[in-house]
Coordinates of all heavy atoms in Angstrom, one line a residue:
M403 N -46.6 -6.7 14.8 CA -45.3 -6.3 15.4 C -44.2 -7.3 15.0 O -43.1 -6.9 14.7 CB -45.5 -6.2 16.9 CG -44.3 -5.6 17.6 SD -44.2 -3.8 17.1 CE -43.3 -3.3 18.5
P404 N -44.5 -8.6 15.0 CA -43.4 -9.6 14.7 C -42.9 -9.3 13.2 O -41.7 -9.5 13.0 CB -44.0 -10.9 14.8 CG -45.2 -10.7 15.7 CD -45.6 -9.3 15.5
A405 N -43.7 -8.9 12.3 CA -43.3 -8.6 10.9 C -42.3 -7.5 10.9 O -41.3 -7.5 10.2 CB -44.4 -8.3 10.0
K406 N -42.5 -6.5 11.8 CA -41.6 -5.3 11.8 C -40.2 -5.7 12.4 O -39.2 -5.3 11.9 CB -42.3 -4.3 12.7 CG -41.6 -2.9 12.6 CD -42.4 -1.9 13.4 CE -42.2 -0.5 12.9 NZ -43.0 0.5 13.6
I407 N -40.2 -6.6 13.4 CA -39.0 -7.1 13.9 C -38.2 -7.9 12.9 O -37.0 -7.8 12.7 CB -39.2 -7.9 15.2 CG1 -39.8 -7.0 16.3 CG2 -38.0 -8.6 15.7 CD1 -40.3 -7.7 17.6
M408 N -38.9 -8.8 12.2 CA -38.3 -9.6 11.2 C -37.7 -8.8 10.0 O -36.6 -9.0 9.6 CB -39.3 -10.6 10.6 CG -38.7 -11.5 9.5 SD -37.4 -12.5 10.2 CE -38.4 -14.0 10.6
L409 N -38.4 -7.7 9.6 CA -37.9 -6.8 8.6 C -36.7 -6.1 9.1 O -35.7 -6.0 8.3 CB -39.0 -5.8 8.2 CG -38.7 -4.9 7.1 CD1 -38.4 -5.7 5.8 CD2 -39.8 -3.9 6.8
S410 N -36.7 -5.7 10.3 CA -35.5 -5.0 10.9 C -34.3 -6.0 10.9 O -33.2 -5.6 10.6 CB -35.8 -4.5 12.3 OG -36.7 -3.5 12.3
F411 N -34.6 -7.2 11.3 CA -33.5 -8.2 11.4 C -32.9 -8.5 10.0 O -31.7 -8.6 9.8 CB -34.1 -9.5 12.0 CG -33.1 -10.6 12.0 CD1 -32.1 -10.6 13.0 CD2 -33.2 -11.7 11.2 CE1 -31.2 -11.7 13.1 CE2 -32.3 -12.8 11.2 CZ -31.3 -12.7 12.2
L412 N -33.8 -8.6 9.0 CA -33.3 -8.8 7.6 C -32.5 -7.6 7.1 O -31.5 -7.8 6.4 CB -34.5 -9.2 6.7 CG -35.2 -10.5 6.9 CD1 -36.4 -10.7 6.1 CD2 -34.2 -11.6 6.7
A413 N -33.0 -6.4 7.4 CA -32.3 -5.2 7.0 C -30.9 -5.2 7.6 O -29.9 -4.9 7.0 CB -33.1 -4.0 7.4
A414 N -30.8 -5.6 8.9 CA -29.5 -5.6 9.6 C -28.5 -6.7 8.9 O -27.4 -6.4 8.7 CB -29.6 -5.9 11.0
L415 N -29.1 -7.8 8.6 CA -28.3 -8.9 7.9 C -27.8 -8.4 6.6 O -26.6 -8.6 6.2 CB -29.1 -10.1 7.8 CG -29.3 -11.0 9.0 CD1 -30.2 -12.2 8.7 CD2 -28.0 -11.4 9.6
F416 N -28.7 -7.7 5.8 CA -28.3 -7.2 4.5 C -27.2 -6.2 4.6 O -26.2 -6.2 3.9 CB -29.5 -6.6 3.8 CG -29.2 -6.0 2.5 CD1 -29.0 -6.8 1.4 CD2 -29.2 -4.6 2.3 CE1 -28.7 -6.2 0.2 CE2 -28.9 -4.0 1.1 CZ -28.7 -4.8 0.0
A417 N -27.3 -5.3 5.6 CA -26.3 -4.2 5.8 C -24.9 -4.9 6.2 O -23.9 -4.5 5.7 CB -26.7 -3.3 6.9
L418 N -25.0 -5.9 7.0 CA -23.7 -6.6 7.4 C -23.1 -7.3 6.2 O -21.9 -7.4 6.1 CB -24.0 -7.5 8.6 CG -24.3 -6.9 9.9 CD1 -24.6 -8.0 10.9 CD2 -23.1 -6.1 10.4
G419 N -23.9 -7.8 5.4 CA -23.4 -8.4 4.2 C -22.7 -7.5 3.2 O -21.8 -7.8 2.5
L420 N -23.1 -6.2 3.2 CA -22.5 -5.2 2.4 C -21.1 -4.8 2.9 O -20.3 -4.3 2.2 CB -23.4 -4.0 2.2 CG -24.6 -4.2 1.4 CD1 -25.5 -2.9 1.4 CD2 -24.3 -4.5 -0.1
F421 N -20.9 -4.9 4.2 CA -19.7 -4.4 4.8 C -19.0 -5.6 5.6 O -19.1 -5.6 6.8 CB -20.0 -3.2 5.8 CG -20.7 -2.1 5.1 CD1 -22.0 -1.9 5.3 CD2 -20.0 -1.3 4.2 CE1 -22.7 -0.9 4.6 CE2 -20.7 -0.3 3.6 CZ -22.0 -0.1 3.8
P422 N -18.5 -6.6 4.9 CA -17.9 -7.8 5.6 C -16.7 -7.5 6.4 O -16.3 -8.4 7.2 CB -17.7 -8.7 4.4 CG -17.4 -7.8 3.3 CD -18.3 -6.6 3.5
G423 N -16.0 -6.4 6.2 CA -14.8 -6.1 7.0 C -13.7 -5.6 6.0 O -14.0 -5.4 4.8
P424 N -12.5 -5.4 6.5 CA -11.5 -4.9 5.6 C -11.1 -5.8 4.5 O -11.0 -7.0 4.7 CB -10.3 -4.6 6.6 CG -10.6 -5.3 7.8 CD -12.0 -5.6 7.8
A425 N -10.9 -5.2 3.3 CA -10.6 -6.0 2.1 C -9.1 -6.3 2.1 O -8.3 -5.5 2.7 CB -11.0 -5.3 0.9
V426 N -8.6 -7.3 1.5 CA -7.2 -7.6 1.4 C -6.9 -7.6 -0.1 O -7.5 -8.3 -0.9 CB -6.9 -9.0 2.0 CG1 -5.5 -9.4 1.8 CG2 -7.2 -9.0 3.5
A427 N -5.8 -6.8 -0.4 CA -5.4 -6.8 -1.8 C -4.2 -7.7 -2.0 O -3.4 -8.0 -1.1 CB -4.9 -5.4 -2.1
E428 N -4.1 -8.3 -3.2 CA -3.1 -9.2 -3.5 C -1.7 -8.5 -3.8 O -0.7 -9.0 -3.4 CB -3.4 -10.1 -4.7 CG -4.5 -11.1 -4.4 CD -4.1 -12.1 -3.3 OE1 -2.9 -12.6 -3.3 OE2 -4.9 -12.4 -2.5
E429 N -1.8 -7.3 -4.4 CA -0.6 -6.6 -4.7 C -1.0 -5.1 -4.6 O -2.1 -4.7 -5.0 CB -0.2 -7.0 -6.1 CG 1.2 -6.4 -6.5 CD 1.6 -7.0 -7.8 OE1 2.3 -8.0 -7.8 OE2 1.3 -6.4 -8.9
R430 N -0.1 -4.3 -4.2 CA -0.3 -2.9 -4.1 C 0.8 -2.1 -4.7 O 2.0 -2.4 -4.4 CB -0.4 -2.5 -2.6 CG -0.9 -1.1 -2.4 CD -1.4 -0.8 -0.9 NE -0.7 -1.6 0.1 CZ 0.1 -1.1 1.0 NH1 0.3 0.2 1.0 NH2 0.7 -1.8 1.9
T431 N 0.5 -1.2 -5.6 CA 1.6 -0.4 -6.4 C 1.4 1.1 -6.2 O 0.2 1.6 -6.3 CB 1.5 -0.8 -7.9 OG1 1.7 -2.2 -8.0 CG2 2.5 0.0 -8.6
V432 N 2.5 1.8 -6.0 CA 2.5 3.2 -5.9 C 3.5 3.7 -6.9 O 4.6 3.3 -7.0 CB 2.9 3.7 -4.5 CG1 3.1 5.2 -4.5 CG2 1.9 3.3 -3.4
V433 N 3.0 4.7 -7.7 CA 3.9 5.3 -8.7 C 4.1 6.8 -8.3 O 3.1 7.4 -8.0 CB 3.2 5.3 -10.1 CG1 4.1 6.1 -11.1 CG2 3.1 3.8 -10.6
G434 N 5.3 7.2 -8.2 CA 5.6 8.6 -7.8 C 7.0 8.9 -8.0 O 7.8 8.3 -8.6
T435 N 7.4 10.0 -7.3 CA 8.8 10.5 -7.3 C 9.4 10.4 -6.0 O 8.8 10.7 -5.0 CB 8.7 12.0 -7.8 OG1 8.0 12.1 -9.0 CG2 10.1 12.6 -7.9
I436 N 10.7 10.0 -6.0 CA 11.4 9.9 -4.7 C 11.7 11.3 -4.2 O 12.2 12.2 -4.9 CB 12.8 9.2 -4.9 CG1 12.6 7.8 -5.4 CG2 13.6 9.2 -3.6 CD1 13.8 7.0 -5.7
V437 N 11.2 11.6 -3.0 CA 11.4 12.9 -2.4 C 12.5 12.9 -1.3 O 13.1 13.9 -1.0 CB 10.1 13.6 -1.8 CG1 9.2 13.9 -3.0 CG2 9.5 12.7 -0.8
R438 N 12.7 11.7 -0.7 CA 13.8 11.6 0.3 C 14.2 10.1 0.4 O 13.3 9.2 0.2 CB 13.2 12.0 1.6 CG 14.1 12.2 2.7 CD 13.4 12.7 4.0 NE 12.0 12.5 3.8 CZ 11.0 13.0 4.5 NH1 11.3 13.8 5.5 NH2 9.7 12.8 4.3
M439 N 15.5 9.9 0.6 CA 15.9 8.5 0.8 C 17.2 8.5 1.6 O 17.9 9.4 1.7 CB 16.1 7.9 -0.6 CG 17.1 8.5 -1.5 SD 17.2 7.6 -3.1 CE 17.6 6.0 -2.7
D440 N 17.4 7.3 2.2 CA 18.6 7.0 2.9 C 19.0 5.6 2.5 O 18.5 4.6 3.1 CB 18.3 7.0 4.4 CG 19.5 6.6 5.3 OD1 20.6 6.4 4.7 OD2 19.3 6.3 6.5
P441 N 19.8 5.4 1.4 CA 20.2 4.1 0.9 C 20.8 3.2 2.0 O 20.5 2.0 2.1 CB 21.1 4.4 -0.2 CG 20.8 5.8 -0.6 CD 20.4 6.5 0.6
A442 N 21.7 3.8 2.8 CA 22.4 3.0 3.9 C 21.4 2.5 4.9 O 21.5 1.4 5.4 CB 23.4 3.9 4.5
G443 N 20.4 3.3 5.2 CA 19.4 2.9 6.2 C 18.2 2.2 5.6 O 17.3 1.7 6.4
G444 N 18.1 2.1 4.3 CA 17.0 1.4 3.6 C 15.7 2.1 3.7 O 14.7 1.5 3.6
A445 N 15.8 3.5 3.8 CA 14.5 4.2 3.9 C 14.3 5.0 2.6 O 15.2 5.4 1.9 CB 14.6 5.2 5.1
L446 N 13.0 5.1 2.3 CA 12.6 5.7 1.0 C 11.2 6.4 1.2 O 10.3 5.8 1.8 CB 12.5 4.6 0.0 CG 12.1 4.9 -1.4 CD1 13.2 5.6 -2.1 CD2 11.9 3.5 -2.2
V447 N 11.1 7.6 0.7 CA 9.8 8.4 0.7 C 9.5 8.7 -0.7 O 10.3 9.3 -1.4 CB 9.8 9.6 1.6 CG1 8.5 10.3 1.6 CG2 10.2 9.2 3.1
V448 N 8.2 8.4 -1.1 CA 7.8 8.6 -2.5 C 6.5 9.5 -2.4 O 5.6 9.2 -1.6 CB 7.5 7.3 -3.2 CG1 6.9 7.5 -4.6 CG2 8.7 6.4 -3.2
R449 N 6.4 10.5 -3.3 CA 5.2 11.3 -3.4 C 4.5 11.0 -4.7 O 5.1 11.0 -5.8 CB 5.6 12.8 -3.4 CG 4.3 13.7 -3.4 CD 4.5 15.1 -3.1 NE 5.0 15.2 -1.7 CZ 6.0 15.9 -1.3 NH1 6.8 16.6 -2.2 NH2 6.4 16.0 -0.1
D450 N 3.2 10.6 -4.6 CA 2.5 10.2 -5.8 C 1.8 11.4 -6.4 O 2.0 12.5 -6.0 CB 1.4 9.1 -5.4 CG 0.3 9.6 -4.5 OD1 0.1 10.9 -4.3 OD2 -0.4 8.8 -4.0
A451 N 1.1 11.2 -7.6 CA 0.6 12.3 -8.3 C -0.5 13.1 -7.6 O -0.7 14.3 -7.8 CB -0.1 11.7 -9.6
A452 N -1.1 12.5 -6.6 CA -2.1 13.2 -5.8 C -1.5 14.0 -4.6 O -2.2 14.7 -3.9 CB -3.1 12.2 -5.2
G453 N -0.1 13.9 -4.5 CA 0.6 14.6 -3.4 C 0.7 13.9 -2.1 O 1.3 14.4 -1.2
A454 N 0.3 12.6 -2.1 CA 0.4 11.8 -0.9 C 1.8 11.2 -0.8 O 2.4 10.9 -1.8 CB -0.6 10.6 -0.9
S455 N 2.4 11.2 0.4 CA 3.7 10.7 0.6 C 3.6 9.2 1.2 O 2.8 9.0 2.1 CB 4.5 11.5 1.6 OG 4.8 12.8 1.1
W456 N 4.4 8.4 0.7 CA 4.5 7.0 1.0 C 5.9 6.7 1.5 O 6.8 6.9 0.8 CB 4.1 6.1 -0.1 CG 2.8 6.3 -0.7 CD1 2.4 7.3 -1.6 CD2 1.6 5.6 -0.4 NE1 1.1 7.3 -1.9 CE2 0.5 6.2 -1.2 CE3 1.3 4.6 0.4 CZ2 -0.8 5.8 -1.2 CZ3 0.0 4.1 0.4 CH2 -1.0 4.7 -0.4
S457 N 6.0 6.1 2.8 CA 7.3 5.8 3.3 C 7.5 4.3 3.3 O 6.6 3.5 3.5 CB 7.3 6.3 4.8 OG 7.2 7.7 4.9
Y458 N 8.7 3.9 3.0 CA 9.1 2.5 2.9 C 10.4 2.2 3.6 O 11.2 3.1 3.7 CB 9.2 2.1 1.4 CG 8.0 2.2 0.6 CD1 7.8 3.4 -0.2 CD2 7.0 1.3 0.6 CE1 6.7 3.6 -1.0 CE2 5.8 1.5 -0.1 CZ 5.7 2.6 -0.9 OH 4.5 2.8 -1.7
K459 N 10.5 1.1 4.2 CA 11.7 0.6 4.9 C 12.1 -0.7 4.2 O 11.3 -1.7 4.3 CB 11.4 0.5 6.4 CG 12.6 -0.1 7.1 CD 13.7 0.9 7.3 CE 14.7 0.4 8.2 NZ 16.1 0.7 7.8
V460 N 13.2 -0.8 3.6 CA 13.7 -2.0 2.9 C 14.3 -2.9 4.0 O 15.2 -2.6 4.7 CB 14.7 -1.7 1.8 CG1 15.2 -3.0 1.2 CG2 14.1 -0.7 0.8
E461 N 13.7 -4.2 4.0 CA 14.3 -5.2 5.0 C 15.6 -5.7 4.4 O 15.8 -5.7 3.2 CB 13.3 -6.3 5.2 CG 12.0 -5.8 5.9 CD 11.0 -6.8 6.1 OE1 11.1 -8.0 5.5 OE2 10.0 -6.6 6.9
A462 N 16.5 -6.2 5.3 CA 17.8 -6.6 4.9 C 17.8 -7.7 3.8 O 18.6 -7.7 2.9 CB 18.6 -7.1 6.1
D463 N 16.9 -8.6 3.9 CA 16.8 -9.8 3.0 C 15.9 -9.6 1.8 O 15.6 -10.5 1.0 CB 16.4 -11.0 3.7 CG 15.0 -11.0 4.2 OD1 14.4 -9.8 4.3 OD2 14.4 -12.0 4.6
A464 N 15.5 -8.3 1.5 CA 14.6 -8.0 0.4 C 15.2 -8.1 -1.0 O 14.5 -8.3 -2.0 CB 14.0 -6.6 0.6
G465 N 16.5 -7.9 -1.1 CA 17.2 -8.0 -2.4 C 16.9 -6.7 -3.2 O 17.0 -6.7 -4.4
I466 N 16.6 -5.6 -2.5 CA 16.4 -4.3 -3.2 C 17.6 -3.4 -2.9 O 17.9 -3.1 -1.8 CB 15.1 -3.7 -2.7 CG1 13.9 -4.6 -3.1 CG2 14.9 -2.3 -3.3 CD1 12.6 -4.1 -2.5
D467 N 18.2 -3.0 -4.0 CA 19.4 -2.1 -3.8 C 19.0 -0.7 -4.2 O 18.7 -0.3 -5.3 CB 20.5 -2.6 -4.8 CG 21.8 -1.7 -4.7 OD1 21.9 -1.0 -3.8 OD2 22.6 -1.9 -5.6
L468 N 19.0 0.1 -3.1 CA 18.6 1.5 -3.3 C 19.7 2.4 -3.9 O 19.4 3.6 -4.2 CB 18.1 2.1 -2.0 CG 16.8 1.5 -1.4 CD1 16.4 2.3 -0.1 CD2 15.6 1.7 -2.4
S469 N 20.9 1.9 -4.0 CA 22.0 2.8 -4.5 C 21.8 3.2 -5.9 O 22.4 4.2 -6.4 CB 23.3 2.1 -4.3 OG 23.4 0.9 -5.1
A470 N 21.0 2.5 -6.7 CA 20.7 2.9 -8.1 C 19.7 4.0 -8.2 O 19.5 4.5 -9.3 CB 20.2 1.6 -8.8
F471 N 19.1 4.5 -7.1 CA 18.1 5.5 -7.2 C 18.6 6.8 -6.6 O 19.4 6.8 -5.7 CB 16.8 5.0 -6.4 CG 16.3 3.7 -7.0 CD1 16.6 2.5 -6.4 CD2 15.5 3.7 -8.1 CE1 16.1 1.3 -6.9 CE2 15.0 2.6 -8.6 CZ 15.3 1.4 -8.0
R472 N 18.0 7.9 -7.0 CA 18.3 9.2 -6.5 C 17.0 10.0 -6.3 O 16.0 9.8 -6.9 CB 19.1 10.0 -7.6 CG 20.4 9.4 -8.0 CD 21.5 9.6 -6.9 NE 22.7 8.9 -7.3 CZ 23.1 7.7 -6.9 NH1 22.3 7.0 -6.1 NH2 24.2 7.2 -7.3
P473 N 17.0 11.0 -5.3 CA 15.8 11.8 -5.2 C 15.5 12.5 -6.5 O 16.4 12.9 -7.3 CB 16.3 12.9 -4.1 CG 17.3 12.1 -3.3 CD 18.0 11.3 -4.3
G474 N 14.2 12.5 -6.9 CA 13.8 13.1 -8.1 C 13.5 12.0 -9.2 O 12.8 12.3 -10.2
D475 N 14.0 10.8 -8.9 CA 13.7 9.7 -9.8 C 12.2 9.3 -9.8 O 11.6 9.3 -8.7 CB 14.5 8.4 -9.5 CG 16.0 8.5 -9.9 OD1 16.3 9.4 -10.7 OD2 16.7 7.6 -9.5
R476 N 11.6 9.0 -10.9 CA 10.2 8.5 -10.9 C 10.3 7.0 -10.9 O 11.0 6.4 -11.6 CB 9.6 9.0 -12.2 CG 8.1 8.7 -12.3 CD 7.4 9.6 -13.3 NE 6.1 9.1 -13.7 CZ 5.1 9.2 -12.9 NH1 5.1 9.8 -11.8 NH2 3.9 8.7 -13.3
I477 N 9.6 6.4 -9.9 CA 9.6 5.0 -9.6 C 8.2 4.4 -9.5 O 7.3 5.1 -9.3 CB 10.5 4.7 -8.4 CG1 9.9 5.2 -7.1 CG2 11.9 5.1 -8.6 CD1 10.6 4.7 -5.9
K478 N 8.2 3.1 -9.5 CA 7.1 2.3 -9.2 C 7.5 1.3 -8.1 O 8.4 0.6 -8.2 CB 6.6 1.5 -10.4 CG 5.4 0.6 -10.1 CD 4.8 0.0 -11.4 CE 5.7 -0.9 -12.1 NZ 5.1 -1.6 -13.2
V479 N 6.7 1.4 -6.9 CA 7.0 0.5 -5.8 C 5.8 -0.5 -5.7 O 4.7 -0.1 -5.6 CB 7.1 1.3 -4.5 CG1 7.3 0.3 -3.3 CG2 8.2 2.3 -4.6
T480 N 6.1 -1.8 -5.8 CA 5.1 -2.8 -5.7 C 5.3 -3.7 -4.5 O 6.4 -4.3 -4.4 CB 5.1 -3.6 -7.0 OG1 4.9 -2.8 -8.1 CG2 4.0 -4.7 -7.0
I481 N 4.3 -3.8 -3.7 CA 4.3 -4.7 -2.6 C 3.6 -5.9 -3.1 O 2.4 -5.9 -3.3 CB 3.7 -4.1 -1.3 CG1 4.6 -3.0 -0.8 CG2 3.6 -5.2 -0.2 CD1 4.0 -2.2 0.4
G482 N 4.3 -7.1 -3.2 CA 3.7 -8.2 -3.9 C 3.0 -9.2 -3.0 O 2.9 -10.4 -3.4
R483 N 2.6 -8.8 -1.8 CA 1.9 -9.8 -0.9 C 0.6 -9.2 -0.5 O 0.4 -8.0 -0.6 CB 2.8 -10.1 0.3 CG 3.1 -8.9 1.2 CD 4.2 -9.1 2.2 NE 4.5 -7.9 2.9 CZ 5.3 -6.9 2.4 NH1 5.7 -7.0 1.2 NH2 5.5 -5.8 3.1
A484 N -0.2 -10.0 0.0 CA -1.5 -9.5 0.5 C -1.3 -8.6 1.7 O -0.6 -8.9 2.6 CB -2.4 -10.7 0.9
T485 N -2.0 -7.4 1.6 CA -1.8 -6.4 2.6 C -3.2 -5.8 2.8 O -3.9 -5.4 1.9 CB -0.9 -5.3 2.2 OG1 0.4 -5.9 1.8 CG2 -0.6 -4.3 3.3
P486 N -3.7 -5.7 4.1 CA -5.0 -5.0 4.3 C -4.9 -3.6 3.7 O -3.9 -2.9 3.9 CB -5.1 -5.0 5.8 CG -4.2 -6.0 6.3 CD -3.1 -6.1 5.3
L487 N -5.9 -3.2 3.0 CA -5.9 -1.8 2.3 C -6.0 -0.7 3.4 O -5.5 0.4 3.1 CB -7.2 -1.7 1.4 CG -7.2 -2.7 0.2 CD1 -8.5 -2.6 -0.5 CD2 -6.0 -2.4 -0.7
N488 N -6.5 -1.0 4.6 CA -6.6 0.1 5.6 C -5.5 0.0 6.6 O -5.6 0.6 7.6 CB -8.0 0.0 6.3 CG -8.2 -1.3 7.0 OD1 -7.4 -2.2 6.8 ND2 -9.2 -1.4 7.8
M489 N -4.4 -0.7 6.3 CA -3.3 -0.9 7.3 C -2.5 0.4 7.3 O -2.1 0.9 6.3 CB -2.4 -2.0 6.9 CG -1.3 -2.3 7.9 SD -0.3 -3.7 7.5 CE 0.9 -3.0 6.4
I490 N -2.3 1.0 8.5 CA -1.5 2.2 8.6 C -0.3 1.9 9.4 O -0.4 1.4 10.5 CB -2.4 3.3 9.3 CG1 -3.6 3.6 8.5 CG2 -1.5 4.6 9.6 CD1 -4.6 4.6 9.2
T491 N 0.9 2.2 8.8 CA 2.1 2.0 9.5 C 3.0 3.3 9.2 O 2.7 4.0 8.3 CB 2.9 0.8 9.0 OG1 3.2 1.0 7.6 CG2 2.1 -0.5 9.2
A492 N 4.0 3.4 10.0 CA 4.9 4.6 9.8 C 5.7 4.4 8.5 O 5.9 5.4 7.8 CB 5.9 4.7 11.0
A493 N 6.0 3.2 8.2 CA 6.7 2.9 6.9 C 6.4 1.5 6.5 O 6.5 0.5 7.3 CB 8.2 3.1 7.0
D494 N 5.9 1.3 5.3 CA 5.6 -0.1 4.8 C 6.9 -0.8 4.6 O 7.9 -0.3 4.0 CB 4.9 0.0 3.4 CG 3.4 0.3 3.5 OD1 2.8 -0.2 4.5 OD2 2.9 0.9 2.6
P495 N 7.0 -2.0 5.2 CA 8.2 -2.8 4.9 C 8.3 -3.4 3.5 O 7.3 -3.9 3.0 CB 8.2 -3.9 6.0 CG 6.7 -4.1 6.3 CD 6.1 -2.7 6.0
L496 N 9.4 -3.3 2.9 CA 9.7 -3.9 1.6 C 10.5 -5.2 1.8 O 11.6 -5.1 2.4 CB 10.4 -3.0 0.6 CG 9.6 -1.7 0.3 CD1 10.5 -0.8 -0.6 CD2 8.3 -2.0 -0.4
S497 N 9.9 -6.3 1.5 CA 10.6 -7.6 1.8 C 10.8 -8.3 0.5 O 10.5 -7.9 -0.6 CB 9.8 -8.4 2.8 OG 8.5 -8.6 2.4
K498 N 11.3 -9.5 0.6 CA 11.6 -10.4 -0.6 C 10.3 -10.5 -1.4 O 9.3 -10.8 -0.9 CB 12.1 -11.8 -0.1 CG 12.7 -12.6 -1.2 CD 13.3 -13.8 -0.6 CE 14.4 -14.3 -1.5 NZ 15.7 -14.1 -0.9
G499 N 10.4 -10.3 -2.7 CA 9.3 -10.4 -3.6 C 8.7 -9.0 -4.0 O 8.0 -8.9 -4.9
D500 N 9.0 -8.0 -3.2 CA 8.6 -6.7 -3.5 C 9.5 -6.0 -4.5 O 10.7 -6.5 -4.6 CB 8.5 -5.8 -2.2 CG 7.5 -6.3 -1.2 OD1 6.6 -7.1 -1.6 OD2 7.6 -6.0 0.0
R501 N 9.1 -5.0 -5.2 CA 9.9 -4.4 -6.3 C 9.9 -2.9 -6.2 O 8.9 -2.3 -5.9 CB 9.4 -4.9 -7.6 CG 9.4 -6.4 -7.8 CD 8.8 -6.8 -9.2 NE 7.5 -6.3 -9.5 CZ 6.3 -6.8 -9.1 NH1 6.3 -7.8 -8.2 NH2 5.2 -6.3 -9.4
V502 N 11.1 -2.3 -6.6 CA 11.2 -0.9 -6.8 C 11.9 -0.8 -8.1 O 13.0 -1.3 -8.4 CB 12.1 -0.3 -5.7 CG1 12.3 1.2 -6.0 CG2 11.5 -0.5 -4.3
E503 N 11.2 -0.1 -9.1 CA 11.6 0.0 -10.4 C 11.6 1.5 -10.9 O 10.6 2.2 -10.6 CB 10.7 -0.8 -11.4 CG 10.6 -2.2 -10.9 CD 9.4 -2.9 -11.6 OE1 8.2 -2.7 -11.2 OE2 9.6 -3.5 -12.7
K504 N 12.6 1.9 -11.7 CA 12.6 3.2 -12.3 C 11.6 3.2 -13.5 O 11.5 2.2 -14.2 CB 14.0 3.6 -12.8 CG 14.9 4.1 -11.8 CD 16.2 4.7 -12.5 CE 17.1 5.1 -11.4 NZ 18.4 5.7 -12.0
I505 N 10.9 4.3 -13.7 CA 10.0 4.4 -14.8 C 10.2 5.7 -15.5 O 10.7 6.7 -14.9 CB 8.5 4.2 -14.4 CG1 8.1 5.2 -13.4 CG2 8.2 2.8 -13.9 CD1 6.6 5.2 -13.1
P506 N 9.9 5.8 -16.8 CA 10.2 7.1 -17.5 C 9.1 8.1 -17.1 O 8.0 7.8 -16.7 CB 10.0 6.7 -19.0 CG 9.2 5.4 -19.0 CD 9.5 4.7 -17.7
F507 N 9.5 9.4 -17.2 CA 8.6 10.5 -16.9 C 7.5 10.5 -18.0 O 6.9 10.6 -18.6 CB 9.3 11.8 -16.8 CG 9.9 12.0 -15.5 CD1 11.2 11.6 -15.2 CD2 9.2 12.5 -14.4 CE1 11.8 11.7 -14.0 CE2 9.8 12.7 -13.2 CZ 11.1 12.3 -13.0

């Protein structure tokens, strides 16, 4: 019986080692098309190739000027800081160091 308990304990440790918790990415990039935006309010919605919508809110000190963009533009949005991959928010904040760039179709 003790061998069975020890085996169960080792199996549990192995399983926990495979799932250490949420991963953190250093940088996250979304490529897609602008479907909605409010340059004055700093809001931006991008639809990627899979059809998923991504909402962004540009913070005042980000240095990102949305006036150069229009709905229908193909862009790349890069969040340049570590962000949990499973973080769910209404709109990802874009802050200093993040980038929004036009890309060709």
Side-chain angles (χ1 to χ4, degrees):
M403 190 68 156
K406 197 174 201 179
I407 292 172
M408 181 61 93
L409 186 60
S410 295
F411 178 74
L412 290 174
L415 286 177
F416 179 73
L418 289 174
L420 288 177
F421 306 103
V426 175
E428 288 300 317
E429 188 172 270
R430 189 164 33 112
T431 300
V432 170
V433 174
T435 303
I436 298 173
V437 293
R438 193 176 15 192
M439 63 182 299
D440 174 13
L446 181 67
V447 178
V448 177
R449 183 166 296 130
D450 67 16
S455 292
W456 301 82
S457 297
Y458 299 98
K459 176 73 173 140
V460 179
E461 295 179 350
D463 65 345
I466 297 172
D467 181 12
L468 293 181
S469 67
F471 302 98
R472 302 282 177 262
D475 285 348
R476 187 160 164 76
I477 64 169
K478 176 169 69 169
V479 179
T480 304
I481 295 178
R483 64 193 173 283
T485 308
L487 296 175
N488 61 349
M489 184 174 88
I490 298 173
T491 60
D494 280 328
L496 295 177
S497 57
K498 195 172 205 108
D500 296 340
R501 299 177 307 280
V502 178
E503 306 164 276
K504 280 188 184 180
I505 58 174
F507 279 90

